[in-house]
Amino acid sequence: MATMTRDELLDAIGNMTVLELSEFVKAFEEKFGVTAAAPVGVAAPAAGGGAAAPVAEEQTEFDVVLTSAGEKKIQVIKVVRELTGLGLKEAKDLVDGAPKTVKEAASKEEAAAMKAKLEEQGAAVELK
């Protein structure tokens, strides 16, 4: 069997049709016991390290959801305005329409600080 250089292999793959490439990927996955869908950083250690289960990544972004305004609705509206920069009407509508998302994709620290400020005023808050 002739050995192909890396460039020759890349050229051969580059000349494949989508169907041929799909079949190639399936055959590659079966032969080497890997999946092409996994990120490179996750697949490489698993392939070389044995049968370790993939580790779930820690969540880095949270949605801060106001589930209830509690008894101090006006104070909660003030905190929502402070945290989001919304106008009075928009903040009031958000609080009145609970459960509503106050902020999406907040960092862990930012989400925890927002939750603490809202709960200080008696609001019920959930991090998702």
Side-chain angles (χ1 to χ4, degrees):
M1 181 173 158
T3 304
M4 295 177 76
T5 67
R6 183 181 319 169
D7 290 334
E8 291 170 336
L9 182 60
L10 288 173
D11 287 340
I13 291 171
N15 292 328
M16 289 182 176
T17 66
V18 174
L19 181 60
E20 291 171 333
L21 188 56
S22 174
E23 291 170 353
F24 174 76
V25 169
K26 287 178 187 172
F28 187 88
E29 289 173 345
E30 288 174 13
K31 179 166 179 123
F32 297 105
V34 296
T35 58
V40 175
V42 175
V55 177
E57 290 186 31
E58 183 178 341
Q59 186 175 353
T60 58
E61 291 184 342
F62 296 86
D63 292 345
V64 180
V65 180
L66 178 70
T67 55
S68 167
E71 293 184 21
K72 300 179 183 176
K73 188 169 142 182
I74 293 173
Q75 279 75 12
V76 172
I77 292 171
K78 288 179 181 179
V79 172
V80 167
R81 286 188 68 202
E82 172 191 330
L83 295 173
T84 62
L86 292 174
L88 181 59
K89 180 177 179 357
E90 292 84 5
K92 182 182 182 305
D93 290 345
L94 188 146
V95 172
D96 286 342
K100 289 274 188 165
T101 302
V102 177
K103 175 130 185 177
E104 293 180 347
S107 68
K108 187 175 185 177
E109 295 79 20
E110 181 183 19
M114 292 175 87
K115 181 179 180 183
K117 283 185 177 184
L118 288 164
E119 286 179 341
E120 232 175 70
Q121 301 305 322
V125 180
E126 207 175 90
L127 298 181
K128 293 186 178 184

